[in-house]
Amino acid sequence: IFVLGIGFFTLCFLMTSLGGQFSAKRLGDSPFTIRTEVMGALESRGVLRRMSDMLEMLMKRMDILAKLENSTDFHKGEEARVPLDRFQPAAGLMERIQAIAQNVSDIAIKVDQILRNSLLNGKVMEGRRDQCEVPRDPKYPDCAGKVEWMRARWTSDPCYAFFGVDGTECSFLIYLSEVEWFCPPLPWRNQTAAAPSPPPLPRVQAAFRSDLAHLLELIGTGKESLSFMKKRIRHLGQQWLRAARRLEQKLKGRQRDQKHILIHIGFLTEESGDVFSPRVLKGGPLGEMVQWADILAALFLLGHSLRVTVSLKELQSHLGVPPGRGNCPLTSPLPFDLIYTDYHGLQQMKQHMGLSFKKYRCRVRVIDTFGTEPAYNHEEYATLRGYRTNWGYWNLQPTQFMTMFPHTPDNSFMGFVSEELNQTEKQFIKSNKVSSMAVVYGKEASIWKGKEKFLAILNKYMEIHGTVYYETQRPPEVPAFVKNHGLLPQHEFQQLLRKAKLFIGFGFPYEGPAPLEAIANGCVFLQARFNPPHSSLNHEFFRGKPTSREASVSSQHPYAEDFIGKPHVWTVDYNNSEEFEAAVKTIMRTQVDPYLPYEYTCEGMLERIHAYIQHQDFCTTSSPPLSPKTKSPAMQSPPSPLALSANATHLVWSPSASRDPHAWPPVDSLQVWVSEPQHTCTQTCRQHGLVCEPTFFSFLNKEEVFLQLSITCDSTEYEMNHLYPAVAENVHECYLQKEPLLFSCAGYNTKYRRLCPCRDYRQGQVALCRDCL
């Protein structure tokens, strides 16, 4: 009985072990696992044979017991009184063991057959793995080149091994046909029919939010920059909520799809250096963080679903990138409708999304302080014409770049907000202004260098206050007669501006938010005029930035000069002492009310971002214009939708022409004007009280438009040039644009008069036409 028990226990143990080996792997899952599985199966066959041998030994011992049972000696003496039925269970056990032994023998035979077939198939598959040939399929012209690249570089990124590449030709072709799309599928691979994708879930409607607490959680902690942004959102919280309620009433329940939006602030990541966070408390530039805080607040209050990242690890996690260095594409759809990032984040996304970046880049919105002009954005053109910089050549639609100020219509104006005062606060500020008090714009000591001459003039009339950062010793660049408060918290700085009469700039920093804050608090802003205007051609600050800004940076703050102007903004030549002194004396006698342009209020920014999200679609491809050489003689050009204006000075949209109801901006806001040779389209439209609208260029890029404007064309050429469409009048040569990405409101050449698409705009909201909301 003891021997039987041990044998039965051993049998159970062996069966459990065998079952584990069989369940650990399934044969035929992948040609890359055949060797391992076959070896495992060979071991299992050995286990079955050992089991069969042990069962045979048990059978022999049971036979001995049976013989002992039948012997006469076994029943002599007292032992003869033991009932024979006590041995009957042993006999039943023997029958069971015999049955198990027979089953194990059958299993061993079947496993042997399976193994033989598996080994045969393994050899066939192994042969296929080693003997694959690169297919010659005209539908896949890049296949051979990609295989060649994989041969040389497949170990350069661990993601290739992650997808099964092992250095064999077949593994290259499997990857290039099933993960990427450069080669045709291999016929011997199991091509299971793709399950029909489920219908898209119904879009959730966006609802205006009434609480900012969850947004503060989304932003996170751990950086001074994040703390600054959260403080700003809290400080302006009530203004944001009131503005959201007003816009909700204005839209009157209009349907708005909720977008899934990723906000990746690249310049705050450790990989980009995060130079801003350590400088937040030391007078460093805060303009970018002011803008990002306001973007977050606006998107959240509009009711969209947000994810916020300030690290590369979080970005990879949210995008779902495979492990490695970013050469392999995403294998699942991007879970975001829109991605707001900056140039640092754009570079990180391209590096880690692989080929998928090209597919999804239409969803990207790039927060770009100074803008990116089309000539710098188009990689081939920038390389050929000398427009390459550190930040350009992304080949995005130029309106995907979003700027801090509306200095170039080629990009979308994102902006930021300034604190808005009610009537009571405005009256209190006016009654408490100190007419002889001036505050200097500049927190860094280097800005004060070389400004002694006009500071001395200003000191004759006004008490001068500064907010220059220092730790222990007052900066020597700040004259002794200046009352320096050191770096002030935002609330204390606002109180200083509410007392001061004058806010004076020294020419730098360019286009920051502080002048608007000062004007909103009842200050007059005095700034320097640049002659000649600053640009990448003559000033170090703009060198390397993807913008020429020719003839546009005529002062420290062009927006304040062009869109606000006197009496709130004075722009003078600081090298002319008499002009500077006269301006100071006039400003002291001038009474101004606090003023804030509508587009820099919370409601104005909410309105603008709402319109962009609802109407801007860069993922719908449009066909490029046909050049004369590619047009068929049988093709008839449709009649022009443009007509000459009543006074015959420009073209307008014809009342009889059809219009796309989904087009944005609406086409009936279009006017076509011809520039002077020395003017950009931005300047030309502004002269007529309009703004340049680059999305309308396609309506102008036609030969018949020159005829409608009575322009003589002895020849017409299609070329890549960011100044086209244009005419060289002295030689009667007309030029049309060959590359839609190069349509640009910026740039001029005295040789050309440009065709310029202009539109109207809402009062105080230059980014939107009158019917654009």
Side-chain angles (χ1 to χ4, degrees):
I1 297 301
F2 176 77
V3 172
L4 289 174
I6 294 296
F8 186 72
F9 174 79
T10 304
L11 176 64
C12 293
F13 174 76
L14 289 172
M15 290 298 289
T16 304
S17 300
L18 182 62
Q21 291 200 38
F22 273 113
S23 62
K25 292 182 179 288
R26 292 174 302 178
L27 294 175
D29 279 352
S30 166
F32 298 114
T33 58
I34 287 174
R35 289 178 177 171
T36 305
E37 289 166 352
V38 168
M39 291 302 296
L42 288 170
E43 293 173 0
S44 298
R45 182 168 64 179
V47 171
L48 284 170
R49 286 176 176 171
R50 288 195 295 272
M51 283 179 59
S52 181
D53 293 341
M54 292 183 69
L55 287 169
E56 288 180 8
M57 187 179 294
L58 286 172
M59 288 291 295
K60 290 178 181 178
R61 293 182 179 179
M62 291 296 295
D63 286 339
I64 294 171
L65 287 172
K67 291 176 181 178
L68 288 172
E69 182 183 357
N70 294 326
S71 66
T72 55
D73 295 335
F74 186 77
H75 298 286
K76 289 182 179 179
E78 293 182 357
E79 295 174 355
R81 292 194 291 268
V82 178
L84 292 178
D85 57 1
R86 288 183 60 182
F87 290 92
Q88 290 176 358
L93 179 61
M94 187 175 70
E95 293 175 359
R96 292 190 184 96
I97 290 175
Q98 285 178 326
I100 291 172
Q102 184 61 45
N103 289 335
V104 170
S105 179
D106 294 341
I107 291 172
I109 294 171
K110 291 179 180 178
V111 167
D112 189 65
Q113 293 173 348
I114 292 171
L115 289 174
R116 290 178 185 276
N117 292 332
S118 297
L119 287 170
L120 181 62
N121 291 334
K123 290 178 181 178
V124 173
M125 300 295 272
E126 188 70 28
R128 287 178 176 173
R129 291 177 68 223
D130 293 335
Q131 298 175 10
C132 280
E133 294 184 1
V134 179
R136 306 294 178 185
D137 189 332
K139 296 179 181 178
Y140 299 88
D142 299 322
C143 184
K146 290 293 181 180
V147 170
E148 189 66 31
W149 188 94
M150 290 290 286
R151 287 192 193 109
R153 301 290 302 278
W154 75 272
T155 57
S156 63
D157 194 321
C159 72
Y160 297 120
F162 173 79
F163 285 114
V165 177
D166 61 1
T168 60
E169 293 290 295
C170 283
S171 69
F172 297 153
L173 291 170
I174 291 169
Y175 173 83
L176 291 170
S177 62
E178 298 179 14
V179 179
E180 296 184 11
W181 45 89
F182 293 104
C183 295
L186 298 177
W188 53 268
R189 291 282 290 174
N190 289 330
Q191 303 297 326
T192 56
S197 53
L201 296 173
R203 277 285 187 182
V204 176
Q205 290 300 303
F208 283 91
R209 292 190 173 97
S210 58
D211 186 2
L212 288 163
H214 182 55
L215 173 62
L216 299 177
E217 294 177 8
L218 286 174
I219 293 174
T221 58
K223 292 177 179 284
E224 287 293 346
S225 49
L226 298 180
S227 299
F228 172 85
M229 291 161 62
K230 290 164 74 171
K231 286 178 184 176
R232 176 175 175 82
I233 292 171
R234 288 192 197 97
H235 179 68
L236 295 173
Q238 291 305 311
Q239 291 197 24
W240 277 117
L241 294 173
R242 287 194 296 269
R245 288 193 291 268
R246 289 195 296 269
L247 182 58
E248 186 175 15
Q249 292 297 320
K250 189 184 296 185
L251 296 178
K252 297 177 182 177
R254 196 177 304 175
Q255 295 294 301
R256 300 182 302 117
D257 288 343
Q258 185 187 63
K259 304 290 185 182
H260 296 279
I261 301 176
L262 174 65
I263 296 103
H264 178 62
I265 311 176
F267 74 88
L268 292 183
T269 61
E270 298 300 330
E271 289 78 9
S272 68
D274 189 14
V275 296
F276 286 91
S277 292
R279 300 174 63 192
V280 169
L281 302 178
K282 296 183 179 181
L286 300 177
E288 287 86 352
M289 280 171 276
V290 164
Q291 188 180 33
W292 275 109
D294 296 346
I295 292 170
L296 285 164
L299 292 172
F300 183 79
L301 288 174
L302 287 170
H304 299 292
S305 174
L306 308 184
R307 290 288 181 273
V308 183
T309 66
V310 290
S311 76
L312 190 55
K313 185 177 180 181
E314 290 177 309
L315 175 68
Q316 291 174 304
S317 172
H318 286 307
L319 293 178
V321 300
R325 299 189 179 93
N327 288 306
C328 298
L330 307 183
T331 53
S332 56
L334 190 70
F336 300 104
D337 303 300
L338 294 170
I339 300 176
Y340 286 79
T341 188
D342 52 23
Y343 261 123
H344 293 283
L346 196 63
Q347 184 64 49
Q348 291 167 353
M349 287 173 53
K350 182 180 180 182
Q351 180 181 355
H352 291 277
M353 289 177 71
L355 294 170
S356 301
F357 177 78
K358 185 176 181 180
K359 178 180 180 181
Y360 292 118
R361 66 183 178 180
C362 62
R363 305 186 189 188
V364 173
R365 307 292 183 266
V366 185
I367 307 305
D368 177 13
T369 304
F370 294 99
T372 298
E373 294 174 4
Y376 295 84
N377 170 60
H378 192 281
E379 184 174 16
E380 179 186 355
Y381 185 76
T383 303
L384 292 173
R385 300 296 184 92
Y387 287 103
R388 283 186 73 94
T389 64
N390 297 332
W391 302 105
Y393 54 88
W394 284 92
N395 293 324
L396 300 177
Q397 293 292 333
T399 38
Q400 287 180 255
F401 297 97
M402 301 186 137
T403 59
M404 186 172 280
F405 291 96
H407 44 60
T408 171
D410 291 323
N411 304 148
S412 299
F413 163 46
M414 172 59 76
F416 58 94
V417 304
S418 287
E419 189 168 356
E420 196 173 2
L421 306 176
N422 57 39
Q423 288 301 319
T424 303
E425 291 170 324
K426 289 180 180 179
Q427 289 300 321
F428 179 81
I429 287 173
K430 285 181 66 177
S431 61
N432 286 275
K433 280 290 179 185
V434 180
S435 60
S436 60
M437 179 179 173
V439 175
V440 174
Y441 180 20
K443 295 175 291 185
E444 295 185 2
S446 59
I447 296 173
W448 293 66
K449 279 186 178 180
K451 309 301 188 298
E452 296 83 2
K453 183 178 179 180
F454 54 80
L455 277 172
I457 297 173
L458 182 62
N459 188 49
K460 291 195 303 184
Y461 302 96
M462 298 182 128
E463 180 182 76
I464 305 175
H465 293 250
T467 57
V468 183
Y469 169 79
Y470 64 95
E471 291 182 353
T472 56
Q473 188 176 357
R474 179 188 173 98
E477 295 88 349
V478 181
F481 54 76
V482 174
K483 185 177 181 181
N484 187 29
H485 300 262
L487 192 64
L488 293 177
Q490 186 69 13
H491 177 69
E492 294 182 29
F493 181 64
Q494 293 274 356
Q495 296 303 316
L496 190 66
L497 291 176
R498 292 182 179 188
K499 291 181 182 178
K501 177 73 174 182
L502 176 66
F503 189 64
I504 180 170
F506 287 167
F508 189 83
Y510 296 102
E511 300 178 312
L516 288 190
E517 293 178 355
I519 295 167
N521 282 287
C523 293
V524 174
F525 178 51
L526 177 63
Q527 64 172 345
R529 180 185 296 115
F530 301 148
N531 190 18
H534 290 181
S535 72
S536 59
L537 304 177
N538 62 12
H539 202 273
E540 187 63 32
F541 177 82
F542 289 102
R543 198 163 290 129
K545 292 181 171 57
T547 172
S548 295
R549 302 291 297 275
E550 296 168 352
S552 62
V553 189
S554 56
S555 62
Q556 180 176 353
H557 208 291
Y559 175 84
E561 179 185 8
D562 296 332
F563 288 88
I564 301 178
K566 292 181 179 179
H568 302 279
V569 180
W570 288 64
T571 306
V572 301
D573 182 2
Y574 279 23
N575 294 318
N576 186 327
S577 300
E578 293 179 0
E579 183 182 357
F580 178 80
E581 189 169 358
V584 171
K585 290 192 286 188
T586 305
I587 289 169
M588 291 179 68
R589 299 190 301 266
T590 304
Q591 294 294 322
V592 296
D593 293 329
Y595 172 71
L596 180 63
Y598 174 74
E599 55 201 356
Y600 285 97
T601 65
C602 292
E603 184 177 354
M605 187 167 184
L606 283 170
E607 183 180 279
R608 190 164 58 249
I609 294 182
H610 155 74
Y612 290 154
I613 290 176
Q614 288 298 112
H615 299 293
Q616 284 186 336
D617 180 9
F618 303 112
C619 295
T620 302
T621 57
S622 58
S623 56
L626 291 173
S627 67
K629 295 178 182 178
T630 60
K631 287 183 179 179
S632 167
M635 292 177 63
Q636 295 294 325
S637 298
S640 173
L642 303 175
L644 202 61
S645 64
N647 58 5
T649 57
H650 61 283
L651 301 180
V652 296
W653 192 265
S654 173
S656 61
S658 61
R659 63 195 69 180
D660 181 357
H662 303 291
W664 193 85
V667 290
D668 52 4
S669 64
L670 168 64
Q671 297 183 29
V672 182
W673 291 84
V674 183
S675 77
E676 295 300 320
Q678 70 275 17
H679 286 172
T680 67
C681 280
T682 302
Q683 294 170 305
T684 300
C685 294
R686 191 176 295 164
Q687 286 178 340
H688 300 288
L690 305 167
V691 294
C692 184
E693 179 51 63
T695 58
F696 287 154
F697 266 113
S698 58
F699 298 113
L700 283 60
N701 201 44
K702 300 174 183 176
E703 294 180 58
E704 55 265 30
V705 175
F706 291 111
L707 297 176
Q708 288 180 287
L709 289 166
S710 301
I711 295 173
T712 303
C713 299
D714 291 342
S715 64
T716 304
E717 298 290 338
Y718 271 78
E719 293 182 11
M720 282 202 315
N721 192 308
H722 69 288
L723 303 179
Y724 296 166
V727 56
E729 284 191 323
N730 56 336
V731 291
H732 303 294
E733 293 177 350
C734 297
Y735 300 93
L736 297 174
Q737 181 61 257
K738 184 179 179 181
E739 172 51 70
L741 284 181
L742 286 173
F743 284 135
S744 177
C745 295
Y748 72 93
N749 188 311
T750 54
K751 174 182 172 182
Y752 301 121
R753 297 184 70 194
R754 301 188 57 190
L755 301 190
C756 299
C758 308
R759 62 161 170 82
D760 57 34
Y761 59 92
R762 295 166 62 86
Q763 186 63 35
Q765 184 74 288
V766 70
L768 305 180
C769 68
R770 290 171 188 161
D771 298 322
C772 276
L773 189 59

